[in-house]
Amino acid sequence: VPEPDLSPTRADPRYGYFGPRGTFSEMALALVPGVDTAAATAVSTVDSALALVRSADLDAVMVPIENSVEGGVTATLDALATGRALVIVREALVPITFVLAARPGVTLDAVRRIGTHPHAWAQCRGWAARAVPEAVYVPALSTASASAALAPGSGADPPYDAALCAPIAAEINGLTVLAHDVGDNPSAVTRFVLVARPGAVPEPTGSDKTTLVAYQTDDHPGGLVEMLEQFAVRGVNLSRLESRPTGDALGQYCFSMDCDGHIAEARVAEALMGLHRSCARVTFLGSYPRAVAPGRVNGSTSPSRRSGTSEADFTAARAWIDKLRAGGS
Amino acid sequence: VPEPDLSPTRADPRYGYFGPRGTFSEMALALVPGVDTAAATAVSTVDSALALVRSADLDAVMVPIENSVEGGVTATLDALATGRALVIVREALVPITFVLAARPGVTLDAVRRIGTHPHAWAQCRGWAARAVPEAVYVPALSTASASAALAPGSGADPPYDAALCAPIAAEINGLTVLAHDVGDNPSAVTRFVLVARPGAVPEPTGSDKTTLVAYQTDDHPGGLVEMLEQFAVRGVNLSRLESRPTGDALGQYCFSMDCDGHIAEARVAEALMGLHRSCARVTFLGSYPRAVAPGRVNGSTSPSRRSGTSEADFTAARAWIDKLRAGGS
Amino acid sequence: VPEPDLSPTRADPRYGYFGPRGTFSEMALALVPGVDTAAATAVSTVDSALALVRSADLDAVMVPIENSVEGGVTATLDALATGRALVIVREALVPITFVLAARPGVTLDAVRRIGTHPHAWAQCRGWAARAVPEAVYVPALSTASASAALAPGSGADPPYDAALCAPIAAEINGLTVLAHDVGDNPSAVTRFVLVARPGAVPEPTGSDKTTLVAYQTDDHPGGLVEMLEQFAVRGVNLSRLESRPTGDALGQYCFSMDCDGHIAEARVAEALMGLHRSCARVTFLGSYPRAVAPGRVNGSTSPSRRSGTSEADFTAARAWIDKLRAGGS
Amino acid sequence: VPEPDLSPTRADPRYGYFGPRGTFSEMALALVPGVDTAAATAVSTVDSALALVRSADLDAVMVPIENSVEGGVTATLDALATGRALVIVREALVPITFVLAARPGVTLDAVRRIGTHPHAWAQCRGWAARAVPEAVYVPALSTASASAALAPGSGADPPYDAALCAPIAAEINGLTVLAHDVGDNPSAVTRFVLVARPGAVPEPTGSDKTTLVAYQTDDHPGGLVEMLEQFAVRGVNLSRLESRPTGDALGQYCFSMDCDGHIAEARVAEALMGLHRSCARVTFLGSYPRAVAPGRVNGSTSPSRRSGTSEADFTAARAWIDKLRAGGS
């Protein structure tokens, strides 16, 4: 798998991530070959991180886009869909492991208030109900910021006694781990994307994904079916589909989607052209190499293709039409 | 509407029609500008007519393909679908009017046996049951041959007393017309096609049709739906669909179809390429100007198009993809 | 497989077939247990045969409906679709074998004109082109009538020297067989149906077919797809689909179809109700046991079913809805 | 519109809402005729509110389910989909108006930290970026709890200076309103649902909605299209569709949906039965009267129906099938 060509080409691209230090986003960025996360910029919200790329203060930022337990990260989906164009140039999958961490000296039975990000709470609340049934939840901006506020010497006085966070965040902030692996779903994984300004599209690798947002022309019954048929008729599989409100009124949606394949492939290009013709608007958010889920063999994640939809099939069909148009048979 | 360019280009193309003289096919050929049917060759079967084009003994022949009462002309459909490639370069619609004709001196109440082509009988049997209930039907190779055998001086002794045929055939053969307009359906029309060897495809006129035959890869449930979706997703309307047995076994069909549009148009080309990719085999049988039904204004026969399927829509979508592939947004 | 209950129930139902004696229709009728074809009535046209059932002069007639080489028998399809309601109560598959037969003393090299039914000619013309290239084709009402007219002592003087017909017809009529097995396709088979007045529907056997004709409400693009989806969404496979003109104008069709399953089954009933709601008109032409193709094991002809479409699935779904409607969960 | 019959029937049902006092949920509950919100129980999380209904400590609770700006309320969607069955018995639409409120004496230019619920922040951040660009966001459990913590005499010391909340929450808590109507989208509306234990389904009113969650059997391409066709083929419109992860792995989704119509109607019942047959699991979450959006005339929100899908069409189709099954025609 060749490395994606981050754009604009710089000898020394400036990276950022949804932070502070110790978030899962930093772990995802660390998976990119050649990136030193210590030199990268931690940005406290997804919105701000993307804004820094739009303004060219950063060249690429790693942000969460989808969680196997909580679903789409709506802040990311919405920030990508609006504003100056950005594209995804890489994805990363990070297994999610939570610890309950507190200042040294605090014991588990003394924990009455737990601070963390809402998505993290959602993934640990089963454990919390059993292990610390008296504790209440206090929302925080991120799992890392929840633990950072507890760091001895931080000067903060957060309204909670313990934080649910990544193991690395507990370590960075000098906290005591009261309980390991407290996530309710041991196979939880979060998908992150590296977002850059449009430039050269990463080369196709044979196992790629394409992300886009499509807006229907109106809310007629069957409109979504027609949209999905643009993919089905070319044998392009959708691996993610989420409706997002357009903000205009209840019941008015756009659809954020990942499909298998690369815009350089005929089957994907034709499906996208079909959407472009039939939708009010289509926003292309990048073609990039598919990440392999941790612990999986590469081949097992490749979906089966409908017969007649390979690149060779498209090439042969085009040659046939060209011959017919020239008067052949 | 420009004239189709018959191929191969000859100063003096040799025409034929399904005949003898006096058939509706001759009337259809007479509708082609510049053609003198007196100089054209009448051929007694559709099979033979097409064979003479394949062997280059003729350059183009007019044969019936579809009747508004009897349906597809299976001899034509099957002969076009098999053997060396032929293409349709023009279509013609002829209103069908039948007369009952006999040798001079024969009266209506003396008619006991009526000779005609099976399709013609099917279109007049209601009238016959009322007007000559005693008469039985005797099949003939064509309506014109049925009347020709009755011609005084023909030397034939046909096993019937009167023929159902076109008015012109009665006139040519010197017969007396016993009854006019005996067809059960006064709006009956037959569609004829002018068939030639492959060559330059007639120029698109903006109101064209394309004919093809598609063979499915296997008999899986939903296979026909998938085939039809190749058209629907590009907004291409089907104006004729007929299943024909492949001859291998009961339940194994190919599909003979006419769709609106010309192979030079992106929407038609893309639909045909979709079939080419997903079907076992596709036979292209020509793109040619749509004929206007007699008595109709041209515009009224143009079907409405689904939004987003004009040539401009396809061109814009292609430009968008090209820009994205180059790294734009 | 229980025997269909022919209706109206009579101690001694009167049978007919498309004849004269010696047609393949008689052979098909002979396959019905307990029927003595010698006592059955031969009727010279399909139209007349069905009319005799409608008028209650006969109780059931065997007529051809589909041929593996020539396709649908349009006379049968159209006669079933119009007029007083009739239903199919049984089907039969007959392998088609042709002989070339002539009066005693005629030799193969003396044959100049061959009489037969157009469908039979279509199935033997390849052989004829090789074996008797000089011979021309003369159409007849049926293969059996073509051979009967040659019978010594018939008093007829048919305009041909030999007939293409079933072996039994040559035998019945005292003709000499000049060539055996002259059909171009050795696996050719014709499907016949036994047609009766509506009455008790034959009991479901677990391997049944249902025949119907559906008329669309208008000629809108995608209308056929919607019709087919009524079947697909309930997992009902179509084994035959033919468009037939309604006779009103070119491009106006109804669809004659066979689907797997019995009207007593929920999946078929629901699909038919869906058609009834969405079509201009639906004509039910019977549910009856599926015939096993000669030489095939029964199981091999049963199509695979889409999961979730068994009778048990429908029953469970109904029970679930009834519980929910009553306030359960 | 008859009132929904809350179940179990009690002379004095106990109501709750997602609170504390002053949330939009309380405003939604106040729209239910005969309900005194002062006597209702405010519950601090959606999870807990639903748990109190499951345990029969409350009889019905009002919780948010969808916001025209932020999309589905995932906590509600997920809590409804899992655990003991609950059903929606009513919906309410509440226009969303935000104020920025602070303790008396605080002025707008002194605001450095703003506390509110993440969804509220998302709906006001445009205004905040312009009006108080220096202020940072501090997440809170609800808009009402953010304002309650600022209430003089509450004894709390929240980590922010001002709260984004409903006007009523500012009033209840004795706060000063620093800015009115600070939402970025003036037509923002949130949809709330009243959730109860299963019991008698509210009577159909002719303008109803049905909510459900469907789990596909596997992740095959086209699976969602098949699911949507269960609705389309019966003319049932979907007004909301959201994918939610099942929690098992990335790319494994269930679909939360609202459709038009009532389970007592044949078209809805048949679509649900179709899903029940073809899906791994379907959870019914209630049929209830459609709420009219504030400021809209009732009729304008009724979607057009596909022809052939009225209750009368279903009844007629059922009568037709019953007659055919009995041997009629």
Side-chain angles (χ1 to χ4, degrees):
Chain A
V1 176
E3 289 312 301
D5 176 19
L6 288 181
S7 168
T9 309
R10 294 171 55 101
D12 186 17
R14 295 154 302 170
Y15 291 97
Y17 59 90
F18 170 56
R21 287 190 64 205
T23 53
F24 294 104
S25 294
E26 185 186 357
M27 294 166 62
L29 184 60
L31 295 175
V32 180
V35 170
D36 173 13
T37 64
T41 304
V43 190
S44 65
T45 67
V46 170
D47 260 8
S48 317
L50 298 181
L52 290 170
V53 178
R54 284 192 170 103
S55 64
D57 290 304
L58 292 177
D59 296 310
V61 294
M62 187 66 84
V63 293
I65 193 170
E66 184 183 15
N67 179 280
S68 68
V69 174
E70 278 302 286
V73 179
T74 57
T76 302
L77 295 172
D78 293 352
L80 280 172
T82 56
R84 271 192 56 198
L86 293 174
V87 290
I88 298 170
V89 292
R90 171 186 278 273
E91 69 170 358
L93 301 177
V94 177
I96 300 302
T97 314
F98 293 104
V99 297
L100 184 71
R103 286 175 177 151
V106 175
T107 58
L108 186 59
D109 53 10
V111 172
R112 289 290 170 273
R113 295 169 304 167
I114 297 176
T116 197
H117 186 268
H119 278 195
W121 178 249
Q123 295 180 61
C124 302
R125 61 188 163 201
W127 173 84
R130 290 189 307 273
V132 282
E134 304 291 302
V136 298
Y137 156 55
V138 179
L141 279 173
S142 69
T143 54
S145 68
S147 73
L150 288 175
S154 76
D157 181 24
Y160 46 84
D161 319 311
L164 285 164
C165 61
I168 190 168
E171 186 186 328
I172 288 172
N173 291 308
L175 304 186
T176 300
V177 171
L178 302 180
H180 290 273
D181 282 330
V182 300
D184 297 331
N185 190 323
S187 63
V189 62
T190 290
R191 182 177 160 232
F192 294 85
V193 288
L194 188 63
V195 176
R197 290 180 296 285
V201 180
E203 289 289 310
T205 65
S207 177
D208 303 279
K209 290 166 89 169
T210 295
T211 298
L212 56 105
V213 181
Y215 299 76
Q216 293 183 278
T217 47
D218 53 13
D219 181 30
H220 66 294
L224 177 59
V225 170
E226 286 174 19
M227 190 184 285
L228 299 180
E229 278 170 355
Q230 297 284 0
F231 293 94
V233 84
R234 282 97 179 185
V236 178
N237 189 41
L238 284 182
S239 56
R240 184 180 59 86
L241 172 71
E242 292 183 80
S243 57
R244 295 294 306 148
T246 60
D248 298 331
L250 278 178
Q252 308 231 334
Y253 302 103
C254 61
F255 291 92
S256 175
M257 296 178 257
D258 295 338
C259 69
D260 295 329
H262 193 286
I263 193 176
E265 293 178 76
R267 61 185 179 133
V268 173
E270 207 181 87
L272 264 64
M273 288 190 285
L275 286 185
H276 187 270
R277 289 188 286 99
S278 58
C279 290
R281 190 153 56 93
V282 182
T283 304
F284 171 71
L285 290 178
S287 286
Y288 47 89
R290 164 197 294 275
V292 181
R296 288 209 190 172
V297 177
N298 192 358
S300 68
T301 62
S302 266
S304 64
R305 277 207 195 170
R306 192 159 98 165
S307 115
T309 62
S310 73
E311 193 70 7
D313 293 322
F314 274 87
T315 303
R318 169 60 65 186
W320 175 73
I321 278 285
D322 288 345
K323 191 183 59 175
L324 292 178
R325 282 176 163 181
S329 66
Chain B
V1 177
E3 289 310 302
D5 176 18
L6 287 181
S7 167
T9 309
R10 297 171 54 100
D12 186 19
R14 296 153 302 169
Y15 291 97
Y17 58 90
F18 170 56
R21 284 190 66 205
T23 53
F24 294 102
S25 294
E26 185 186 359
M27 293 166 64
L29 184 60
L31 294 176
V32 180
V35 170
D36 173 16
T37 64
T41 305
V43 190
S44 65
T45 69
V46 170
D47 260 7
S48 316
L50 298 181
L52 289 171
V53 178
R54 285 194 170 103
S55 64
D57 290 305
L58 291 177
D59 296 310
V61 295
M62 187 67 83
V63 294
I65 193 169
E66 185 183 14
N67 180 279
S68 68
V69 175
E70 278 302 286
V73 180
T74 58
T76 302
L77 294 173
D78 293 352
L80 280 172
T82 56
R84 270 193 57 196
L86 293 174
V87 290
I88 298 169
V89 292
R90 172 185 277 274
E91 67 171 358
L93 302 177
V94 177
I96 300 302
T97 315
F98 293 103
V99 298
L100 184 71
R103 286 174 177 152
V106 174
T107 58
L108 186 59
D109 54 7
V111 172
R112 288 290 171 275
R113 296 169 303 168
I114 297 175
T116 196
H117 186 269
H119 278 195
W121 178 249
Q123 295 179 64
C124 303
R125 61 188 162 199
W127 173 84
R130 290 188 307 273
V132 281
E134 303 292 301
V136 298
Y137 156 56
V138 179
L141 277 173
S142 69
T143 54
S145 68
S147 74
L150 288 174
S154 75
D157 180 23
Y160 45 84
D161 319 310
L164 284 164
C165 61
I168 190 167
E171 187 185 327
I172 288 171
N173 292 307
L175 304 186
T176 299
V177 172
L178 301 180
H180 291 275
D181 282 329
V182 300
D184 297 329
N185 190 323
S187 63
V189 62
T190 290
R191 182 176 159 232
F192 295 85
V193 288
L194 187 64
V195 177
R197 290 179 297 285
V201 180
E203 288 291 309
T205 66
S207 177
D208 303 279
K209 290 167 89 168
T210 295
T211 298
L212 56 106
V213 180
Y215 298 76
Q216 292 184 277
T217 46
D218 53 13
D219 182 29
H220 65 295
L224 178 58
V225 170
E226 286 174 18
M227 192 184 283
L228 298 180
E229 278 171 355
Q230 298 284 359
F231 293 95
V233 84
R234 283 96 180 185
V236 178
N237 190 42
L238 285 181
S239 57
R240 184 179 58 84
L241 171 72
E242 292 183 80
S243 57
R244 294 293 307 146
T246 61
D248 298 331
L250 277 178
Q252 307 230 333
Y253 302 104
C254 60
F255 291 92
S256 176
M257 297 178 257
D258 295 339
C259 68
D260 295 329
H262 193 287
I263 193 176
E265 292 178 76
R267 62 184 178 133
V268 173
E270 208 182 88
L272 263 63
M273 288 190 285
L275 286 185
H276 186 271
R277 290 187 286 100
S278 59
C279 290
R281 190 154 55 93
V282 183
T283 304
F284 171 73
L285 291 177
S287 287
Y288 47 89
R290 164 198 295 273
V292 181
R296 288 210 191 172
V297 178
N298 191 358
S300 69
T301 61
S302 264
S304 64
R305 276 208 195 167
R306 192 160 98 165
S307 116
T309 61
S310 73
E311 193 71 7
D313 292 322
F314 274 88
T315 303
R318 169 59 66 186
W320 174 72
I321 278 287
D322 288 344
K323 191 184 60 174
L324 292 179
R325 282 176 163 181
S329 66
Chain C
V1 176
E3 290 309 302
D5 177 17
L6 288 180
S7 168
T9 309
R10 295 171 55 100
D12 187 18
R14 296 152 303 169
Y15 291 97
Y17 58 91
F18 170 57
R21 284 190 66 204
T23 54
F24 294 103
S25 295
E26 184 185 359
M27 293 166 63
L29 184 60
L31 295 175
V32 180
V35 170
D36 174 15
T37 65
T41 305
V43 190
S44 65
T45 68
V46 170
D47 260 8
S48 317
L50 298 181
L52 289 171
V53 178
R54 286 194 169 102
S55 65
D57 290 305
L58 291 178
D59 296 309
V61 295
M62 186 68 82
V63 294
I65 192 168
E66 185 184 13
N67 180 279
S68 68
V69 174
E70 279 301 287
V73 179
T74 57
T76 302
L77 295 173
D78 293 352
L80 279 173
T82 56
R84 268 191 58 196
L86 292 174
V87 290
I88 298 170
V89 293
R90 172 184 278 273
E91 67 171 358
L93 301 177
V94 177
I96 300 301
T97 314
F98 293 103
V99 297
L100 184 70
R103 286 177 177 149
V106 174
T107 59
L108 186 59
D109 52 8
V111 172
R112 290 289 172 272
R113 296 169 303 166
I114 297 176
T116 196
H117 186 267
H119 278 196
W121 178 249
Q123 295 180 63
C124 301
R125 61 187 162 199
W127 173 85
R130 291 188 307 273
V132 281
E134 305 290 302
V136 298
Y137 156 56
V138 179
L141 278 173
S142 68
T143 55
S145 69
S147 74
L150 290 174
S154 75
D157 181 23
Y160 45 84
D161 320 310
L164 285 165
C165 60
I168 190 168
E171 186 186 328
I172 288 171
N173 293 308
L175 304 185
T176 299
V177 171
L178 302 180
H180 290 274
D181 282 328
V182 300
D184 297 329
N185 190 323
S187 63
V189 62
T190 290
R191 181 176 160 233
F192 295 84
V193 289
L194 187 63
V195 177
R197 290 179 296 286
V201 179
E203 288 290 309
T205 66
S207 176
D208 303 279
K209 289 167 90 169
T210 295
T211 298
L212 57 106
V213 181
Y215 298 76
Q216 293 184 277
T217 46
D218 52 13
D219 182 29
H220 66 293
L224 178 57
V225 170
E226 286 174 20
M227 192 184 285
L228 298 180
E229 280 171 354
Q230 298 284 359
F231 293 95
V233 83
R234 282 96 181 184
V236 178
N237 190 41
L238 284 181
S239 56
R240 184 179 59 85
L241 172 71
E242 293 183 80
S243 57
R244 294 294 305 148
T246 61
D248 298 330
L250 277 178
Q252 306 231 334
Y253 301 104
C254 60
F255 291 91
S256 176
M257 297 178 257
D258 295 338
C259 68
D260 295 328
H262 193 286
I263 193 177
E265 292 178 75
R267 61 185 179 133
V268 173
E270 208 181 87
L272 264 64
M273 288 190 285
L275 287 185
H276 187 270
R277 289 188 286 103
S278 58
C279 290
R281 190 153 56 92
V282 182
T283 304
F284 171 72
L285 289 177
S287 286
Y288 47 89
R290 164 197 295 274
V292 181
R296 288 209 189 171
V297 177
N298 192 358
S300 68
T301 61
S302 265
S304 64
R305 277 206 194 170
R306 190 159 100 167
S307 114
T309 62
S310 72
E311 192 71 7
D313 292 322
F314 274 88
T315 302
R318 169 60 65 186
W320 175 71
I321 279 285
D322 288 345
K323 191 183 61 175
L324 291 178
R325 282 176 164 181
S329 68
Chain D
V1 177
E3 290 310 302
D5 176 17
L6 288 181
S7 169
T9 309
R10 294 171 57 101
D12 186 19
R14 294 153 305 168
Y15 290 97
Y17 59 91
F18 169 56
R21 286 190 65 204
T23 53
F24 294 103
S25 294
E26 184 186 359
M27 293 166 63
L29 184 60
L31 295 175
V32 180
V35 169
D36 174 15
T37 65
T41 304
V43 190
S44 65
T45 68
V46 169
D47 261 8
S48 316
L50 298 181
L52 289 171
V53 177
R54 285 194 170 102
S55 64
D57 290 306
L58 291 177
D59 297 309
V61 294
M62 186 67 83
V63 294
I65 193 170
E66 185 183 13
N67 179 281
S68 67
V69 174
E70 279 301 286
V73 179
T74 58
T76 303
L77 295 173
D78 293 351
L80 280 173
T82 55
R84 270 190 58 197
L86 292 175
V87 290
I88 298 170
V89 292
R90 171 186 278 274
E91 68 171 357
L93 302 177
V94 177
I96 300 300
T97 315
F98 292 104
V99 298
L100 184 71
R103 286 177 179 151
V106 174
T107 58
L108 186 60
D109 53 8
V111 172
R112 289 291 172 272
R113 296 168 302 167
I114 296 175
T116 197
H117 186 269
H119 278 195
W121 178 250
Q123 295 181 62
C124 301
R125 62 188 163 200
W127 173 84
R130 291 188 308 273
V132 282
E134 305 291 300
V136 297
Y137 155 56
V138 179
L141 279 173
S142 69
T143 55
S145 68
S147 73
L150 289 176
S154 76
D157 181 25
Y160 46 82
D161 319 310
L164 285 164
C165 59
I168 190 167
E171 187 186 325
I172 288 171
N173 292 308
L175 304 185
T176 299
V177 171
L178 302 179
H180 291 274
D181 281 329
V182 299
D184 297 330
N185 190 323
S187 63
V189 63
T190 290
R191 182 178 159 231
F192 295 85
V193 289
L194 187 63
V195 177
R197 291 180 296 284
V201 180
E203 288 289 310
T205 66
S207 177
D208 303 280
K209 290 167 89 169
T210 294
T211 298
L212 56 105
V213 181
Y215 299 77
Q216 293 183 278
T217 46
D218 53 13
D219 182 30
H220 67 294
L224 178 59
V225 170
E226 287 174 18
M227 193 184 284
L228 298 181
E229 279 171 352
Q230 297 284 359
F231 292 94
V233 83
R234 282 96 180 185
V236 178
N237 189 42
L238 283 182
S239 56
R240 184 179 59 84
L241 171 72
E242 292 183 80
S243 57
R244 295 293 307 148
T246 61
D248 298 331
L250 278 178
Q252 307 232 333
Y253 301 104
C254 61
F255 291 92
S256 176
M257 298 178 255
D258 295 339
C259 68
D260 295 328
H262 192 286
I263 193 178
E265 293 178 76
R267 62 185 178 133
V268 173
E270 208 182 87
L272 264 63
M273 287 190 286
L275 287 185
H276 187 271
R277 289 188 285 101
S278 59
C279 289
R281 191 154 56 93
V282 182
T283 304
F284 172 72
L285 290 177
S287 287
Y288 47 88
R290 165 197 293 274
V292 181
R296 289 209 189 171
V297 178
N298 191 359
S300 68
T301 61
S302 265
S304 64
R305 279 207 194 167
R306 193 160 98 164
S307 114
T309 62
S310 72
E311 193 71 8
D313 292 322
F314 274 87
T315 303
R318 168 61 64 186
W320 174 71
I321 278 287
D322 288 344
K323 190 184 61 176
L324 291 179
R325 282 176 163 181
S329 67

